[in-house]
Structures are given as structure tokens and as C-alpha cells.
Amino acid sequence: MGLQPLEFSDCYLDSPWFRERVRAHEAELEKTNKFIKELLKDGKNLITATKNLSAAQRKFAHSLRDFKFEFIGDAETDDERYIDASLHEFSNFLKNLEEQREILAISVTETLIKPLERFRKEQLGAVKEEKKKFDKETEKNYSLLEKHLNLSAKKKELQLQEADNQVEQNRKHFYELSLEYVCKLQEIQERKKFECVEPVLSFFQGLFTFYHQGYELAKDFNHYKTTLQINIQNTRNRFEGTRSEVEELMNKIRRNPQEHKRANHFTMEGYLYVQEKRPAPFGSSWVKHYCMYRKETKKFSMIPFEHRSGGKLGDAELFVLTYCTKRNADTIDRRFCFDLEASDRPGVPVTMQAFSEEDRKLWMEALDGKEALLINLNKANAKREGSAQLDKIGFTIIKKCISAVETRGINDQGLYRVVGVSSKVQRLLSLLMDSKTCNEVDLENSVDWEVKTITSAMKQYLRSLPEPLMTYELHGEFIVPAKSGSPESRVNAVHFLVHKLPEKNKEMLEILVKHLANVSKHAKKNLMTVANLGVVFGPTLMRPQEETVAAIMDLKFQNIVVEILIENHEKIFKTLPDATFPEPISMSVSPPNAPPRQSRRQGQRIKRPLAVYNLCLELDDADSHSSPREDTPTGSMDSLSSQSPTPAFSSSPLELLDENHLIMDSGDLAGWTTNLPAQSRPSMVSWMNIPSANPVATDAALPNFIFPSPATGTDRAVESVAHRKARAVYPCEAEHSSELSFQIGAIFEDVQFSREPGWLEGTLDGKRGLIPQNYVQFL
């Protein structure tokens, strides 16, 4: 049973039971006071913990932002660049989350702590003051009453009458105070229910708003996470291929180091011990030097270097060699020695010691030393003459293998990745390469040859060619566009170079690439996406003439070239390229290779004002009608190298246009471009295919639909783009009924800016819908 009500009539009786009920109410209020006091303490601890967590998270985000991965070589793939940028993106996501947490901490203070403190001070504190007055008046009233009752009846009538009036007046004052106190007690008992709970409700509203902000941020992150996972998987696949190549090269060099000597401008180089003579009592010392010799100029240089002293280089010494003579063991108490004589010090030979007899023979041969044994150093440069040739039989082999694969195993999982048994592969290849048995081999109907054996034989044939299909001569030129430039410039460069290949090579490459494009169309079943086919056929169709670690680091770019061939085979092989070699566009702000579609509410979350945490839940429900859907990467998911999604919040030129112009109600982008560094503007203009005769793009050189004058504003910009046509530069799959699906090259009619930032409206094949702005190019 709850507290009994305090009747006002009982104030006049002031019975013991009335006093018990008053004490019960007072005890309940004291318990409420202690509860609020403890709640305030816990709330302040919560704020402190929240701020500490936020500080730790911000420090963690700061650490992520400041670190940068280094890479081997002179360029990175698009996937590697996006992975490098991922730590900065992670930092941004954490920063956005902590901004919301900071708002939550402020909200707890404003919506929970201050209201409870105010109720405890103004309401409970006031009751305590009333209680003190009530207790004081009670004591005064009953003391005066006892004193009055003790008056002698013999007192004068006037005195007794005055005493009676005083007691009656005091009793009235006591009753009035008692009534007010009882009223206050019951008022507080009722008020505490909403005065205490309403701040807690506001606190939970703020808390769940914070979680909702986190949920929306997670939706934004989901798109970035998906694309980054594909970037990571592509990079991992390329790493596996590169690692196997590096290990193979390491084992080759381990077996025969001299056959894999790096080609450079020195005829011979390596470590030698040089004898340094001292005065007679001290004898001589041997100091290790790194020596280099060029036969063309006869210049010999040596630099003292000691590994055990921290690897400090000494001063280099250079001289012109006159002659070299082998030292016999009976003339010096050391093995593997020979003498050199410099032109500027005739008659004063310098004695050198090699590491072994074989090492001395190599130095003697390089230095044209007397008594030197002739060593054949041309093994490393001799071409491996395999039996595979790019002839009629070769074309027959490839066509038979392709026909069998497309007939029997186009949907086999891991096609071209799963290797056959080596002995069976060699036997099949021997039969196919023999003109007598080649036509007799039936690959399409025979169960003797597994699909994996056929694919392995086909790859082995291509690797056995004396020169890779895409030639040693053009290898470096094919690699260059894969390292930089826009997607279009890459395709144009590869298109141009393919038509520089010898006719037989180009014909064979066309047959093979057309087949690989067909394989990639069945990727849902065989799992061989364009990226996976690039990993398999990059080293098969391209390889450098010299096997080095640096060359193997470019293996990932070979894969990208193959991916470009597969994705654009129709254009590359069916059309003629431009007469001039397309220069790659150098961009200060790299454009995306496969841009993410703009989220309907993408971008940094706008901080909500504190008042929002006190709003009713209905307001959040009303706001949720435009809840953002999950972003999903679009375009070709097969290749993340030649066409990869960019990380969220990237700063490509078109996205910068969105942020500074299209999303804002006003803003002068002309001034924005003018303030950019000069080197940034032409590259961005080039990427957007905006003609500019000047080295630096000015407002006059840019179309009005992109850079309206400040006076006209956005409305005129929208008007000027109305009824224009646009062409798709990336494929797109619609995720909503209001969006359009399209392929590369699709032409849109009546294109206008949409109210959705980053989106356009257009008509394709009679259907009107939304188009991602960074997927099209205005005509």
C-alpha cells in the first residue's frame, strides 16, 4: 500500500496518526533526495567516462591518420592507393562518431544533470525549509500552550483574556503553516514522478539519437567497407602471384647466381679485399672494398665498406686500369689474389683478393687479366629456344584448347587457376606440338583429358614461346599507362600499343582475350572475374626480358593491362587507334576509376543541435521517411584495378563540384577554381573533357552549366543544363525503381540536375529516372 493522503482537516486535530503519516511522507522524500543525489553522481561519472572514451578514440583516430604505407617500386595500383587512403578514411569515420559522442556528453549535462539538480534544489530543498519552519512552529505552539495552561486562575480577568488571545493567534498561525506544509508535501510527492522521469527520458532520447547517428554512419561505412574488401582481396591475389614469382626467382639465383646477374653499366662489380702496405715493422693490412669496373673506359673504382662498423662508406678511389696479373700462391701468403696497375701509378701494383677461385676467374676475365681462364658469360643473355612457336601449329593449339574449354568447362570453378597434373600436361603438350599428332587429338569429346589439363597445357604453351605474346620491346610501354592516368587514357594507350604488336602476336592475343572475356561473363559460376583472370594471365602474356625483383613488383601492373584488354576487347581489337600515342592525364586530384554512386544522404553527418535530444520520438519518425539506403559499389565488380570503386568521401573533381556548388544553395565555383593551384586546374579540366585553349582554365573557358556567375546562382545553372544529352562512361545497375540501369556508352536525353545531391535526372529508352552524376559525361 502507498502513502496515505494527508487530510487538511487533520491539521487541526494534529493527532498522533496524522503525525505518523507526515513522517512517512517526509521519509519518502528523503529517500527520493538520496536517490537523485546518487543518480547525479553516476551521471557525472558517465559524462567523465564518455569524455575519456572520446579522447581515447580521437587519439586512436589521430594515430590512424598520421601513418602512411610506403610501397615498393615507382607506382601503386588503384587498389593499393585506396588501401593507403583507408587509414585516413577510418580516422574520418571515428572523428564523425566522436563528434556525435561529444554532443551526447553535452546533452547528458543539459537534459539530465541540470534538471535533476534544479528539482533537488528548488523543490526538495524548499520542502526541507518548510519542514524546519513546521517543526519550529510545532515546538513554539505547544510550549506556549503549556505555559498558558499553567497560568493561575487568580490572575486578573484582563490578563487572562490577553493570554487567551495570544494563544489563539499563535494556534491560527500554526494551523496555517501546517496546512501549507501538508499541501507542499503532497505536491512534491506528485511532482517528483514527472520531474525525475522526464530528464531520464530526455537522456535516453539523446542516447538513442547517438546510436541512430552511429547506425547512419555505419550505413555510409558499409559501402566503403564493401569496396575496400574487394580492394584488399585484389591486392591479396596479386600478392600471392607476386610472391610465387619472387620465390621462383630467388630459387633460380640460389642455384646459379651468375646466370641471373643484373644487367648494368659495370662490366664487373663486387667485394674485394685490398692490400694496404704499412711501414716494415707493421707489415700490411687487408681492407674490404666494393669495386666496380667498366671495360669500355677501363675505369676501376673502389669504396671501402665494412659491414661490422655500421655500414659506413669510406672515400671512393678511381683510377684507369693498365693491366691485371694473376698472383701465384708461391709469391704471396694468401689465396685468390691478383694485381692491378693504375695508369697514374706505373710500377706500383695494387694487390686484390677475391672471395674464391671462381670469383677470381670472373674478375680476371672482366679485367682482361693474363693467364685468365675463358669463361662463357653469355649464358645469362642467351635466349631459351623452346620448341613452342607462334606458327600455324601454335594457332591450332590455342584454338583447339579454347574450343574444348568453352564446350566442356566454361562454368568450372577456378577455371585456369586450378592446375593439372604436370606429367599429363607435358604429354598433352607434346602431342599438340607435334604436327603429326596435333590434328588427331580430340579435346572436346575425349574424357582422357581433363579441363584443368587442357588449360594448363594452353598456359604452358604461351609461357614456352621464345618471346611473350606482348613482346619484350613493348613491355615497358604497356606498363606505363597502367600506373597512372584516367581509365579512358589507360584504355586508349593500351589500344594504341596493341596495334603496334606484330600481326601474328596481335591475332593470337585477340583470340585469347575474346575467350577470356567470355570466361569472365560466367564469373558467377566459375568465380573467374576479370581481376582473377588478370592475376593468372598477366605473367603469361607479359614478362620483362630481365628477371629482377623490381620487375616482379610490376607484375600487378601486368595484371591491370590484361584486365583492360578483357574489359575493352571490342574497342581495342575491332577499331583502329588514334594516330598519335595518347598521353596519360596527370591529375593532382586523382579521378575515380570506378566511382561510387552518390548516396542519397552521403557525406559528413550534420551535427544536430542540443534541442533535438529533447524532441519527441515522433519527430525522428517523421524524419525517417528519407532514411538513407545502403550504398553498394556499382560498375564492373570484376576488376578493381582498371575500374575500381573509390573510397567514400574522396575528393575527385566532380565530387568537389557537388560539395561546393550543387549541394549548396549558393556559391561561386568560379572563384573556387581560380584559387586552386595552377597545376590542378588544367588536369581537372582535361579529366572532365572541358576544352580549354589556355594553360590555366578560367571562368570564360568553362561551360556555364558548371560554373555559373555569382549573380545567376544555382537556378540558372540548372536551367542551362536542361535538355542536354549525356553519355555513360561507367556501367551501372539500378538499386531502386527510381534509378536507371545502363551500360558504357548509353546516351541519355533531357538530362537535368536532380534535387538529390550528386544525382541527375535523364531519359533512357523512354524511361526517366535518376543517374549518378559521376557516371556520365555531358555531350
Side-chain angles (χ1 to χ4, degrees), residues 634-664:
T634 56
S636 172
M637 296 300 289
D638 295 339
S639 170
L640 266 293
S641 303
S642 59
Q643 190 168 321
S644 295
T646 53
F649 314 116
S650 67
S651 56
S652 67
L654 287 181
E655 288 172 333
L656 286 173
L657 285 176
D658 288 342
E659 293 173 11
N660 290 272
H661 182 68
L662 299 176
I663 294 177
M664 303 297 290

Side-chain angles (χ1 to χ4, degrees), residues 455-521:
T455 56
S456 297
M458 179 174 153
K459 290 187 293 182
Q460 185 60 41
Y461 161 78
L462 292 169
R463 290 171 184 158
S464 301
L465 291 171
E467 189 176 30
L469 202 56
M470 297 175 74
T471 71
Y472 290 132
E473 181 184 358
L474 295 177
H475 178 83
E477 294 184 51
F478 273 113
I479 291 294
V480 169
K483 291 183 175 181
S484 62
S486 66
E488 187 176 356
S489 69
R490 292 181 183 181
V491 174
N492 292 339
V494 172
H495 187 191
F496 180 85
L497 293 170
V498 164
H499 287 265
K500 286 180 67 177
L501 290 170
E503 197 59 37
K504 283 187 177 181
N505 294 57
K506 187 176 72 172
E507 184 182 349
M508 177 70 82
L509 185 64
E510 181 179 1
I511 293 170
L512 182 62
V513 169
K514 183 179 178 182
H515 164 64
L516 296 180
N518 189 24
V519 171
S520 69
K521 291 177 182 177

Side-chain angles (χ1 to χ4, degrees), residues 256-491:
N256 197 335
Q258 294 305 322
E259 283 191 2
H260 293 82
K261 178 186 173 185
R262 284 188 64 192
N264 56 37
H265 56 278
F266 292 112
T267 308
M268 187 69 183
E269 62 180 320
Y271 284 102
L272 292 171
Y273 279 89
V274 179
Q275 185 183 34
E276 295 185 355
K277 296 181 180 179
R278 298 180 180 179
F282 302 102
S284 61
S285 63
W286 294 82
V287 180
K288 185 168 64 175
H289 288 65
Y290 191 80
C291 303
M292 295 158 286
Y293 176 67
R294 295 187 67 177
K295 182 176 286 190
E296 297 84 3
T297 59
K298 288 188 173 295
K299 289 184 178 179
F300 191 98
S301 58
M302 54 186 189
I303 303 172
F305 184 82
E306 180 54 62
H307 292 86
R308 291 172 296 183
S309 64
K312 186 177 180 181
L313 283 170
D315 296 330
E317 183 178 353
L318 176 67
F319 59 84
V320 177
L321 180 70
T322 303
Y323 74 87
C324 168
T325 308
K326 177 182 176 182
R327 289 287 295 267
N328 295 323
D330 56 352
T331 64
I332 191 168
D333 191 25
R334 285 207 174 204
R335 300 187 298 164
F336 322 134
C337 294
F338 58 92
D339 287 343
L340 302 181
E341 185 172 308
S343 60
D344 59 342
R345 287 172 286 182
V348 185
V350 179
T351 302
M352 307 275 188
Q353 182 183 26
F355 284 2
S356 64
E357 183 60 33
E358 183 182 0
D359 191 30
R360 178 168 67 172
K361 289 178 181 178
L362 293 174
W363 276 103
M364 294 289 290
E365 172 67 19
L367 299 168
D368 296 324
K370 296 178 181 179
E371 299 182 33
L373 297 177
L374 294 178
I375 303 172
N376 183 11
L377 293 178
N378 297 322
K379 293 180 183 178
N381 298 324
K383 294 184 178 179
R384 295 175 293 178
E385 297 294 335
S387 56
Q389 297 294 329
L390 206 59
D391 52 12
K392 184 177 180 181
I393 292 179
F395 276 87
T396 303
I397 292 171
I398 293 298
K399 289 177 180 178
K400 285 175 75 74
C401 290
I402 287 175
S403 178
V405 170
E406 294 192 347
T407 303
R408 297 173 52 193
I410 194 73
N411 292 321
D412 288 3
Q413 284 193 7
L415 186 66
Y416 286 109
R417 273 205 136 167
V418 178
V419 296
V421 178
S422 179
S423 57
K424 292 183 179 180
V425 173
Q426 292 299 331
R427 186 156 61 91
L428 174 59
L429 201 53
S430 298
L431 291 172
L432 290 173
M433 294 175 70
D434 190 337
S435 58
K436 298 177 182 179
T437 59
C438 180
N439 293 326
E440 298 175 3
V441 179
D442 185 6
L443 297 179
E444 292 188 27
N445 303 309
S446 175
V447 295
D448 296 336
W449 307 108
E450 296 177 283
V451 173
K452 63 182 181 181
T453 304
I454 298 171
T455 56
S456 297
M458 179 174 153
K459 290 187 293 182
Q460 185 60 41
Y461 161 78
L462 292 169
R463 290 171 184 158
S464 301
L465 291 171
E467 189 176 30
L469 202 56
M470 297 175 74
T471 71
Y472 290 132
E473 181 184 358
L474 295 177
H475 178 83
E477 294 184 51
F478 273 113
I479 291 294
V480 169
K483 291 183 175 181
S484 62
S486 66
E488 187 176 356
S489 69
R490 292 181 183 181
V491 174

